[in-house]
Amino acid sequence: MIYPEPIDHFDRLPDSILLFIFNKIGDVKALGRCSVVSRRFNSLVPEVDNVLVRVDCVISDDESSSPSSSTGYSSDKSRHPISSLFRLVFSGLLKPFQSITQFISISPRRAASSSAAVVDGDDFEKNSVTHHSPTQVLRNFNEIKLLRIELPSGELGIDEGVLLKWRADFGSTLDNCIILGASSVIQPVTSTSGCSLPNIDGNGENDNGSIPDSFYTNGGLKLRVVWTISSLIAASARHYLLQPIIAEHKTLDSLVLTDADGQGVLCMNKEQLEELRVKPLSASSASKRTLVPALNMRLWYAAHLELPDGTVLKGATLVAIRPSEQPKKEVVGGDGNWVAAAFKEPYGTAARMLVKRRTYCLEMNSF
């Protein structure tokens, strides 16, 4: 008896449908697995235009570093909150990436320890895992338009309970940066009936939006300056490391570099990407990061800011930053959405509430 050959229903789907599915998948590891399913899939994966790269470990470029200094991101971050990450991520990676199939050919032991770098010890051999940078992995894609890279954690080591979020837009240099911080966040209290109760602690009285004198004497201003400079350094370091990716992928329309903690987001649109290709960035002479230009900053502060959902931000601070050479941009009305739109809710609401308060203007030199 002769049986008909089995039908592969995927063969009936046009390439456009498969590419639509692959673009919905996005994640580069999942796409790597798809590419080894068949020759057809292998030929289509490089045409995906919406890609997500999750960086799940950092690798030290110092071969002589001790096991304690190369076992992961968290231990290094506490000692070097900014410089360590950008000395490690995307650099010093073992063996060039040859094909997307190599990228997904990782041992089970690697899967169990994806948050670690190359680990020395009895359980792991130093060369048992092959690591690849996003730059190397993305060379397998030819048509990327939307690219999102996610780091395993934010760079800035902050105390538990402290809120610090930033968003920066870059072209060949910084276009703008928005920073939202709070010394503590008090979540709304929920009653037994499931209703949110207002936070009442005696510190929510009305004020005129002015910064109290104690803010200058108790270290409050100094802390905000540290938040601002640290966020700008983190953003400029991320921007510097994106150069090879931007240079190699001329089809990019949007690039976002974020982290799993949601601490910082760097964004570049099509015009900004093209600007960087045409006008090379100015690098800082002190470290591997983009030079931050002279800046104009506007600051808003509230000792106690209660949001509509009941969340309370203590010492809430919003800083809007733009290069001094650029014309001033409104933060309320007209084109003012660039501040509030920087953060997801409820923090977008917090930004809108803060910009209605008294504005303080500051300046910062290039660094």
Side-chain angles (χ1 to χ4, degrees):
M1 186 174 183
I2 299 175
Y3 293 95
E5 291 186 6
I7 298 174
D8 185 344
H9 293 286
F10 267 106
D11 287 341
R12 296 183 174 184
L13 295 176
D15 288 353
S16 59
I17 297 296
L18 291 180
L19 279 173
F20 178 82
I21 295 171
F22 290 154
N23 278 310
K24 289 294 184 181
I25 293 173
D27 181 76
V28 73
K29 290 185 180 179
L31 291 172
R33 296 184 179 99
C34 291
S35 72
V36 297
V37 170
S38 68
R39 287 189 177 89
R40 185 185 182 200
F41 282 18
N42 187 266
S43 66
L44 288 175
V45 165
E47 298 179 27
V48 170
D49 62 20
N50 189 351
V51 177
L52 167 65
V53 179
R54 290 188 173 94
V55 179
D56 50 12
C57 65
V58 295
I59 313 300
S60 174
D61 56 0
D62 182 1
E63 295 180 356
S64 63
S65 60
S66 64
S68 61
S69 66
S70 60
T71 54
Y73 169 67
S74 59
S75 62
D76 218 338
K77 182 174 73 171
S78 62
R79 293 192 301 274
H80 307 287
I82 300 170
S83 61
S84 63
L85 174 66
F86 294 109
R87 189 174 62 251
L88 303 180
V89 174
F90 305 157
S91 64
L93 298 157
L94 309 179
K95 300 179 184 178
F97 185 83
Q98 301 297 332
S99 69
I100 219 166
T101 57
Q102 286 182 322
F103 176 69
I104 63 170
S105 299
I106 52 179
S107 67
R109 289 183 296 181
R110 160 72 195 280
S113 60
S114 61
S115 63
V118 180
V119 180
D120 295 326
D122 297 334
D123 297 332
F124 298 88
E125 293 182 356
K126 199 161 188 175
N127 295 324
S128 63
V129 179
T130 299
H131 301 272
H132 303 291
S133 72
T135 303
Q136 293 168 319
V137 173
L138 292 170
R139 286 175 184 155
N140 295 273
F141 296 88
N142 307 319
E143 305 292 337
I144 302 178
K145 293 182 179 179
L146 307 177
L147 174 60
R148 182 181 178 90
I149 301 174
E150 184 179 286
L151 301 177
S153 296
E155 305 90 308
L156 308 181
I158 56 176
D159 295 334
E160 186 175 354
V162 173
L163 171 71
L164 181 58
K165 292 181 177 293
W166 59 265
R167 173 187 165 127
D169 288 75
F170 276 81
S172 60
T173 187
L174 179 69
D175 277 352
N176 63 73
C177 182
I178 312 296
I179 302 169
L180 177 66
S183 54
S184 65
V185 179
I186 303 174
Q187 299 298 335
V189 180
T190 304
S191 68
T192 54
S193 63
C195 299
S196 294
L197 300 176
N199 282 294
I200 302 176
D201 58 8
N203 295 321
E205 65 271 9
N206 292 329
D207 58 54
N208 61 2
S210 298
I211 294 178
D213 292 339
S214 60
F215 181 80
Y216 303 99
T217 58
N218 64 5
L221 178 60
K222 180 180 178 181
L223 178 61
R224 271 66 181 181
V225 171
V226 171
W227 286 352
T228 300
I229 294 176
S230 299
S231 298
L232 288 169
I233 291 176
S236 61
R238 290 189 186 187
H239 180 250
Y240 182 89
L241 292 162
L242 291 173
Q243 290 180 90
I245 293 175
I246 296 170
E248 289 184 17
H249 296 276
K250 310 293 188 188
T251 57
L252 274 174
D253 289 340
S254 173
L255 193 158
V256 175
L257 177 50
T258 184
D259 57 75
D261 294 339
Q263 186 181 90
V265 181
L266 182 149
C267 300
M268 299 181 72
N269 60 30
K270 186 174 183 179
E271 291 75 20
Q272 291 165 332
L273 290 163
E274 187 58 32
E275 178 187 322
L276 179 58
R277 295 189 188 101
V278 174
K279 182 182 178 182
L281 60 80
S282 298
S284 168
S285 59
S287 58
K288 293 183 178 180
R289 61 176 179 83
T290 302
L291 184 70
V292 177
L295 303 170
N296 286 327
M297 301 185 292
R298 280 175 281 184
L299 181 147
W300 299 267
Y301 175 82
H304 178 106
L305 187 70
E306 183 166 355
L307 306 183
D309 68 353
T311 301
V312 172
L313 305 183
K314 293 286 191 178
T317 308
L318 180 69
V319 184
I321 304 168
R322 288 178 63 83
S324 301
E325 63 183 20
Q326 292 188 9
K328 289 186 177 181
K329 194 174 184 180
E330 293 299 323
V331 294
V332 291
D335 55 358
N337 288 333
W338 70 285
V339 172
F343 306 107
K344 295 180 179 179
E345 294 301 335
Y347 301 115
T349 297
R352 283 189 289 271
M353 294 172 68
L354 283 166
V355 297
K356 296 177 181 179
R357 302 173 68 85
R358 183 172 179 177
T359 303
Y360 292 82
C361 298
L362 304 92
E363 294 181 352
M364 182 178 293
N365 293 330
S366 175
F367 65 93

